[in-house]
Amino acid sequence: MSLPFTLLSISFLYLIYARSPDELVWATLAAAIFAFCGAIISFAVYKRNDNHNGFFTRVKHRQLLARMIIDNKLYLAKNRNRNNPRQKIIYFPKVYYHYKELIITVRFPMDLQKNQDKFNRIGEQLEQALFADLFDIVDEKGFKAYKLINDPIQNRINITDIKPDSGKLELMQGFTWNYNKFPHALISGVTGGGKTYFIQALLKSFIDLGADCYICDPKMSDLSQLDQVPILEERAFSSTGQINKCVREFYEQMVDRQKEYKELLRKVGDIGKDYRSFNMQPKVLFFDEYVAHMSNLDFKEQEKTLGYMKQIILLGRQLGFFLVAGMQRPDAKYFEDGMRDQFGLRVSLGQMSRSGYIMMFGESDKNFKVQSDEVHGWGYASIGGAYVRAFFAPFVPPEFSFYNYLLNKDEPSQLSDQSRQAIAERGRGTPSEAARAKSGVRS
């Protein structure tokens, strides 16, 4: 980049020397200053472009891949002849690199050559070399495609930018939770990792969607104070007795809806529907510090609560009953019979031990990195059992007051026309009445 400045400086010196040799000293000084300024400008442009994942970043990535193949001899070669020890490359693997919107895709050939096994296990090396996060591995015809996010924190969004719509919540750019397809969320995080803030972001999103939300907070943190907000009045609980009652009543509501749902299906005479087909209101139970509450119960109470939670997790998706459970450590003791495997969204926030990651995501060859202490709300996430990826919870600016936002909340916002129409249908009567009116069932 600095070459044009250097050539111009040399041309300037030549012209001065040809016309007036006596001015050569001053001309040399001016040309040197011009060339030096050009070098500084070139270096600044290079660094800015490199830091913002521009052209030079892509060039460096391609150079790294090429050097990896050459230095590790991931090609086939043979001697030119018996008397000449120099080798001739007879096969060079075709590796394809693609970069778009922070997503890096590297494709390695699956052509039964001797290096195919290495290409099948190269994901962790790509993460380290490209300083990116591997979030998906796709088998394509003739290729193994590794998809990575370059500098994942740049995909972080603001809590005010979450636009829930049509059963989907965008939690990061390019990372969307379809809670109707992958119901329930399990959120684990160390103290100060940002777990409560993330739960608040989910609560805000579901309220914006018009969902009926309930909160259980046995540690009486910020979530328990939300019972003073009109939209959550008598729906935030902290004492042991209140929480047990909330869980039981939430389960009983689901049982009542199940009976109503079966009757509607029988009248309509159709299958493959869910609660949305009858404009039923989604209901979400936010249970922070679930393990802390369960550990305070005696054996009999634990059995009852576990029974309710198990039924909510197993039957809730079709009926529109969802669970968001938060805890510091997802021990299997309080998620029996594979209950933990039923959570569609799993998020860990803050640095966890290797055993903690195994509890959260199962056995994985993911290279779990550590972020700076200055970064809050970072961790790892997985949806529907997909490859574990780096995650940054929606950023909550200091000036944003979650309490004031809900205090001024009187109707769902940020909705599509379809969602608004569904809520309007619910506004004409109870969910049962709206469903019966639509299906032609008499009360």
Side-chain angles (χ1 to χ4, degrees), residues 279-433:
N279 285 330
M280 292 178 171
Q281 185 181 28
K283 295 179 182 287
V284 188
L285 175 62
F286 290 85
F287 205 141
D288 195 14
E289 300 298 346
Y290 167 75
V291 173
H293 173 73
M294 295 296 292
S295 61
N296 289 331
L297 303 180
D298 58 35
F299 180 78
K300 186 176 180 180
E301 291 176 327
Q302 285 184 5
E303 287 294 309
K304 283 186 177 180
T305 303
L306 274 175
Y308 296 145
M309 298 289 283
K310 183 177 181 179
Q311 293 301 311
I312 292 170
I313 291 174
L314 295 178
L315 304 177
R317 183 185 71 85
Q318 196 171 42
L319 301 172
F321 280 70
F322 304 100
L323 172 65
V324 177
M327 61 203 69
Q328 291 190 9
R329 186 180 175 90
D331 294 318
K333 179 179 179 181
Y334 301 116
F335 285 114
E336 61 179 13
D337 298 333
M339 290 170 58
R340 187 171 53 186
D341 298 333
Q342 302 301 317
F343 286 92
L345 171 66
R346 303 186 196 183
V347 177
S348 69
L349 295 173
Q351 183 180 359
M352 300 180 65
S353 64
R354 181 68 187 181
S355 61
Y357 285 123
I358 292 176
M359 289 181 184
M360 195 69 188
F361 304 108
E363 291 289 347
S364 173
D365 57 356
K366 180 70 176 180
N367 179 28
F368 295 101
K369 306 182 185 70
V370 179
Q371 292 287 337
S372 168
D373 293 337
E374 299 178 357
V375 181
H376 300 284
W378 67 272
Y380 290 89
S382 174
I383 294 179
Y387 200 86
V388 182
R389 59 181 290 177
F391 179 76
F392 290 86
F395 177 70
V396 182
E399 64 274 9
F400 179 82
S401 172
F402 186 71
Y403 182 86
N404 291 335
Y405 178 86
L406 294 183
L407 193 64
N408 299 323
K409 190 75 178 172
D410 55 357
E411 64 179 14
S413 62
Q414 297 180 333
L415 301 177
S416 67
D417 293 338
Q418 181 181 2
S419 300
R420 290 183 183 277
Q421 183 179 358
I423 293 171
E425 290 289 339
R426 293 200 298 268
R428 298 190 184 105
T430 64
S432 303
E433 292 168 348

Side-chain angles (χ1 to χ4, degrees), residues 167 179-180 206 257 261 273-283 316-322 426 435:
Y179 58 85
N180 287 311
F206 277 108
R257 177 173 289 186
Y261 176 76
K273 296 183 178 296
D274 61 16
Y275 73 101
R276 294 170 294 174
S277 303
F278 305 107
N279 285 330
M280 292 178 171
Q281 185 181 28
K283 295 179 182 287
R317 183 185 71 85
Q318 196 171 42
L319 301 172
F321 280 70
F322 304 100
R426 293 200 298 268

Side-chain angles (χ1 to χ4, degrees), residues 163-181:
K163 294 179 171 52
D165 192 22
S166 300
K168 297 180 180 179
L169 302 179
E170 185 180 34
L171 305 177
M172 279 181 65
Q173 291 184 27
F175 186 77
T176 301
W177 177 32
N178 185 339
Y179 58 85
N180 287 311
K181 184 177 181 180

Side-chain angles (χ1 to χ4, degrees), residues 216-232:
C216 294
D217 182 16
K219 287 197 172 182
M220 293 184 287
S221 62
D222 294 342
L223 291 174
S224 65
Q225 308 302 318
L226 296 176
D227 61 345
Q228 304 175 33
V229 178
I231 199 171
L232 292 173

Side-chain angles (χ1 to χ4, degrees), residues 79-306:
N79 293 338
R80 293 181 179 273
N81 53 57
R82 294 180 179 179
N83 299 324
N84 188 350
R86 293 183 61 186
Q87 290 189 326
K88 175 184 178 182
I89 295 178
I90 59 175
Y91 168 79
F92 197 90
K94 293 182 179 179
V95 179
Y96 293 91
Y97 172 92
H98 181 259
Y99 184 99
K100 183 178 181 181
E101 297 178 354
L102 297 179
I103 302 297
I104 302 170
T105 303
V106 184
R107 292 179 172 87
F108 291 90
M110 295 290 106
D111 49 9
L112 298 179
Q113 298 297 326
K114 70 172 185 177
N115 297 310
Q116 180 168 312
D117 288 341
K118 294 181 180 179
F119 292 152
N120 263 318
R121 301 188 303 268
I122 205 169
E124 184 176 342
Q125 298 177 42
L126 288 176
E127 279 190 308
Q128 296 174 348
L130 305 182
F131 197 68
D133 181 74
L134 179 66
F135 71 92
D136 197 11
I137 302 176
V138 181
D139 289 312
E140 301 177 350
K141 186 176 181 180
F143 291 92
K144 173 82 74 172
Y146 294 88
K147 296 182 180 293
L148 306 97
I149 300 178
N150 190 28
D151 201 2
I153 196 172
Q154 295 193 46
N155 285 333
R156 191 175 202 173
I157 62 176
N158 195 296
I159 189 173
T160 57
D161 295 332
I162 301 178
K163 294 179 171 52
D165 192 22
S166 300
K168 297 180 180 179
L169 302 179
E170 185 180 34
L171 305 177
M172 279 181 65
Q173 291 184 27
F175 186 77
T176 301
W177 177 32
N178 185 339
Y179 58 85
N180 287 311
K181 184 177 181 180
F182 304 108
H184 315 304
L186 180 61
I187 305 166
S188 178
V190 298
T191 302
K195 173 169 60 68
T196 301
Y197 279 103
F198 181 53
I199 292 177
Q200 289 179 353
L202 293 178
L203 177 60
K204 170 187 175 296
S205 301
F206 277 108
I207 289 177
D208 285 343
L209 280 168
D212 195 5
C213 298
Y214 300 85
I215 300 172
C216 294
D217 182 16
K219 287 197 172 182
M220 293 184 287
S221 62
D222 294 342
L223 291 174
S224 65
Q225 308 302 318
L226 296 176
D227 61 345
Q228 304 175 33
V229 178
I231 199 171
L232 292 173
E233 188 175 2
E234 299 182 357
R235 295 188 181 185
F237 310 99
S238 56
S239 70
T240 301
Q242 289 176 332
I243 292 176
N244 288 340
K245 181 181 178 182
C246 175
V247 174
R248 184 185 74 249
E249 291 182 347
F250 192 80
Y251 164 75
E252 290 173 350
Q253 290 180 41
M254 186 184 73
V255 173
D256 292 339
R257 177 173 289 186
Q258 186 180 38
K259 296 176 182 177
E260 177 186 4
Y261 176 76
K262 288 182 178 179
E263 180 66 17
L264 290 172
L265 282 181
R266 187 179 67 83
K267 295 294 184 180
V268 174
D270 198 358
I271 59 175
K273 296 183 178 296
D274 61 16
Y275 73 101
R276 294 170 294 174
S277 303
F278 305 107
N279 285 330
M280 292 178 171
Q281 185 181 28
K283 295 179 182 287
V284 188
L285 175 62
F286 290 85
F287 205 141
D288 195 14
E289 300 298 346
Y290 167 75
V291 173
H293 173 73
M294 295 296 292
S295 61
N296 289 331
L297 303 180
D298 58 35
F299 180 78
K300 186 176 180 180
E301 291 176 327
Q302 285 184 5
E303 287 294 309
K304 283 186 177 180
T305 303
L306 274 175

